[in-house]
Amino acid sequence: MKPKILIVDDDPDIVTMLKDRLKSFGYDSITAEDGVRALELLDRDPPLLMLLDLEMPRLSGLGVLKKIAETRGPVATAAPHPATGIPPVLGPETPIIVMTAHGTIESAVEAMKCGAYDFVTKPFNMDHLSLVIGKALERESLKRQVEYLRSEVDAKYAAIVGSSPKIATVSEAAKRAASSNAGVLLLGESGTGKELFARSIHQWSPRGAMPFVVINCVALSDSLLENELFGHEKGAFTGADRMEKGKIEAADGGTLFLDEIGDMPLALQAKLLRVLQDQEFQRVGGTRSVKVNIRVIAATNKDVKRAIKDGHFREDLFYRLNVVTLTLPPLRDRVEDIPLLAEFFLKRHARETKRPSLRFTPETLAVLTHYSWPGNIRELDTTIARAVVLSPNDAISPEVLGLSAQDGPRERAASEQNTYLDLPYHESMEQHSQTLILRALRFSNGNQTRAAERLRLQRTYLARLIRQKNLPLHSSSS
């Protein structure tokens, strides 16, 4: 099917000539003799592109553009956003090329302010007209591809799933933080959804239409991480045969997400601090400062304050990043969200594997809900993906989850309690107390601060209990 172009002009000779030329270019065409008819056709049968004369009876071309802008979005004279310096996406959905005589260039410029893509002057240079049409359609095609890719990303990193009080509290705080340019530090165990929250904060912010750039600070060596962040100049090192921009420049106007910031080398921490303070940096091997406008969101599963004490993390960088701190709860502390998350992952993986009728049995949902999920949401996602692949039936049974050999179901914890339920009161309470502490330490990977938070105890009191009971700090027992 050929692309369809709407010609809007009250001169029949020009309309005939344009129809013939467009046909030779490989386009179909429809026509309107005035602006009112053009709007009718635009609503009833939208073309891929419109050629619009400015001087017409009943409704001028400029009037058409203003009518479209009123119904579909703001006019192109809207001020740039104060945070990004970027004007909003403007004008009609169908690209419009205005046609004007040589003496009315000012009107053409005004039309472009109202959302027109470009203008051509009469009499037409047909080669130029063909070029302008081709560029407009190419831009429209790229825009549709970007919208498709963005929808794919949004589907993968969808809205935060869950209604538990803990996740609702963090979500509300994230939404409040999104409206500012303040740095955000996301804390929490591995797999709790820190990147999802970072993407959500970006999408909720005024920078949402600009780039969201991710870099993992633990996945690369020191030199490679520096190059990824800052880029390099031509000749900066062997093999640097051309200048390359880094992730910081790629994020200009948008958000840079630094995952596992707690593992960033000290030397790079100092350079990052300058970026946060001055919004400028130098590429590797360069001497010229490059200005950027970025927001930084960082995440880590490490105890940053302990890393500062140990000399592994700069305190001044911590305070720059730590304007807003959000601690994401582990999945075991938001049990009521497990069925919602499981259904969300099931729909995604069922769609990808073209098995839309897959469902959980009640027994499977019970197993999922009672498992402790040491790997948090990431482990749940992987478990559901495996079950979708391995399930021979549409009804997913507990056997295909692959959780039976792993520690975690609450039924197992209950059976372990039977070892001391028949003991005398004081001995039973002592053993139960030890079990609770060891369990909290195991879930917290030996981190006493997080274990104390889980037990709702003061850290100093928990440390005293550990010493009194002579408990191992990194026990794998439950």
Side-chain angles (χ1 to χ4, degrees):
M1 182 177 174
K2 295 179 181 179
K4 182 172 59 180
I5 293 177
L6 170 60
I7 304 169
V8 188
D9 200 307
D10 62 330
D11 187 329
D13 292 334
I14 289 179
V15 170
T16 301
M17 181 266 294
L18 284 174
K19 286 185 68 175
D20 291 341
R21 290 296 183 143
L22 291 175
K23 184 177 181 180
S24 69
F25 293 157
Y27 303 118
D28 283 337
S29 58
I30 54 175
T31 64
E33 66 279 1
D34 57 54
V36 175
R37 177 61 175 162
L39 290 175
E40 292 174 357
L41 291 174
L42 199 61
D43 286 336
R44 189 180 68 195
D45 188 17
L48 200 58
L49 181 139
M50 178 162 60
L51 293 172
L52 177 67
D53 187 31
L54 287 181
E55 302 297 328
M56 293 183 298
R58 296 182 68 189
L59 184 64
S60 69
L62 202 58
V64 170
L65 287 165
K66 289 179 178 179
K67 287 283 187 182
I68 293 171
E70 287 173 6
T71 57
R72 293 186 181 174
V75 296
T77 52
H81 194 281
T84 63
I86 304 297
V89 177
L90 305 167
E93 296 170 354
T94 299
I96 296 175
I97 298 171
V98 296
M99 301 179 292
T100 182
H102 277 298
T104 55
I105 299 299
E106 295 82 2
S107 298
V109 172
E110 181 66 21
M112 292 182 68
K113 289 181 180 180
C114 291
Y117 169 72
D118 205 344
F119 69 92
V120 292
T121 57
K122 301 176 182 178
F124 302 117
N125 179 315
M126 285 302 166
D127 289 337
H128 177 65
L129 178 62
S130 175
L131 180 65
V132 173
I133 290 174
K135 290 290 186 184
L137 293 178
E138 180 183 12
R139 188 192 71 156
E140 184 66 15
S141 175
L142 289 172
K143 187 173 75 172
R144 290 171 189 251
Q145 291 180 47
V146 168
E147 289 172 353
Y148 170 76
L149 292 172
R150 180 171 290 172
S151 68
E152 289 290 297
V153 170
D154 290 344
K156 183 177 180 182
Y157 299 98
I160 295 161
V161 177
S163 58
S164 63
K166 288 190 175 183
I167 207 66
T169 299
V170 178
S171 296
E172 285 302 314
K175 289 176 182 177
R176 289 194 296 271
S179 61
S180 71
N181 274 323
V184 178
L185 182 61
L186 299 171
L187 303 177
E189 297 177 13
S190 180
T192 49
K194 295 187 285 294
E195 182 175 343
L196 172 61
F197 263 85
R199 287 182 181 273
S200 297
I201 291 170
H202 171 73
Q203 290 171 0
W204 293 329
S205 78
R207 299 173 180 265
M210 300 303 289
F212 177 85
V213 179
V214 180
I215 188 162
N216 191 316
C217 299
V218 76
L220 301 169
S221 65
D222 295 6
S223 58
L224 285 177
L225 178 58
E226 181 179 17
N227 192 59
E228 278 288 295
L229 281 169
F230 301 102
H232 62 260
E233 298 287 357
K234 181 179 179 181
F237 50 82
T238 303
D241 54 357
R242 58 190 175 89
M243 185 275 286
E244 284 193 7
K245 296 180 179 181
K247 293 292 182 69
I248 292 175
E249 276 183 273
D252 191 22
T255 302
L256 179 68
F257 176 52
L258 298 171
D259 200 9
E260 305 297 348
I261 186 71
D263 293 282
M264 178 176 282
L266 280 169
L268 289 184
Q269 291 179 30
K271 292 187 176 183
L272 176 62
L273 181 62
R274 184 192 174 193
V275 177
L276 296 178
Q277 289 175 336
D278 305 329
Q279 293 281 290
E280 67 177 28
F281 67 96
Q282 292 177 353
R283 301 188 190 100
V284 175
T287 57
R288 182 178 63 88
S289 292
V290 180
K291 286 279 187 182
V292 288
N293 173 14
I294 61 171
R295 181 189 197 168
V296 173
I297 301 177
T300 182
N301 59 10
K302 292 189 178 300
D303 185 342
V304 182
K305 291 185 178 180
R306 178 174 291 276
I308 292 172
K309 283 184 179 180
D310 295 340
H312 297 148
F313 202 85
R314 293 180 63 106
E315 188 172 17
D316 47 4
L317 176 58
F318 171 72
Y319 288 121
R320 277 283 175 181
L321 295 169
N322 192 36
V323 179
V324 177
T325 301
L326 301 176
T327 302
L328 275 59
L331 189 52
R332 60 183 173 274
D333 286 351
R334 43 183 293 214
V335 175
E336 56 267 59
D337 290 335
I338 292 175
L340 295 173
L341 286 162
E343 291 289 348
F344 170 77
F345 291 131
L346 177 62
K347 286 181 181 178
R348 177 200 290 175
H349 295 302
R351 182 173 62 248
E352 291 174 352
T353 56
K354 296 180 173 56
R355 300 183 66 185
S357 57
L358 285 170
R359 66 187 186 280
F360 295 120
T361 66
E363 295 79 12
T364 302
L365 278 175
V367 170
L368 291 170
T369 304
H370 287 87
Y371 184 68
S372 64
W373 300 109
N376 293 297
I377 299 172
R378 186 180 296 125
E379 183 185 4
L380 175 62
D381 186 11
T382 303
T383 299
I384 302 304
R386 180 173 60 243
V388 166
V389 171
L390 297 180
S391 180
N393 307 309
D394 287 345
I396 297 177
S397 62
E399 292 74 24
V400 298
L401 296 176
L403 299 178
S404 58
Q406 303 180 39
D407 176 60
R410 295 179 188 173
E411 291 81 1
R412 178 172 176 176
S415 68
E416 289 167 349
Q417 293 177 3
N418 292 333
T419 60
Y420 52 80
L421 285 178
D422 296 328
L423 293 174
Y425 175 79
H426 291 292
E427 292 180 34
S428 177
M429 292 301 293
E430 175 63 21
Q431 190 166 338
H432 182 57
S433 172
Q434 291 184 23
T435 301
L436 288 175
I437 294 172
L438 290 171
R439 189 174 167 81
L441 287 170
R442 177 169 58 84
F443 282 136
S444 305
N445 295 319
N447 186 300
Q448 292 187 31
T449 300
R450 289 206 295 265
E453 291 173 355
R454 179 178 174 81
L455 294 169
R456 305 293 189 270
L457 297 175
Q458 292 290 330
R459 185 186 179 283
T460 53
Y461 180 59
L462 175 61
R464 187 162 67 250
L465 288 175
I466 291 171
R467 289 195 302 271
Q468 288 174 352
K469 300 176 186 299
N470 195 27
L471 298 175
L473 295 181
H474 301 282
S475 174
S476 61
S477 61
S478 56

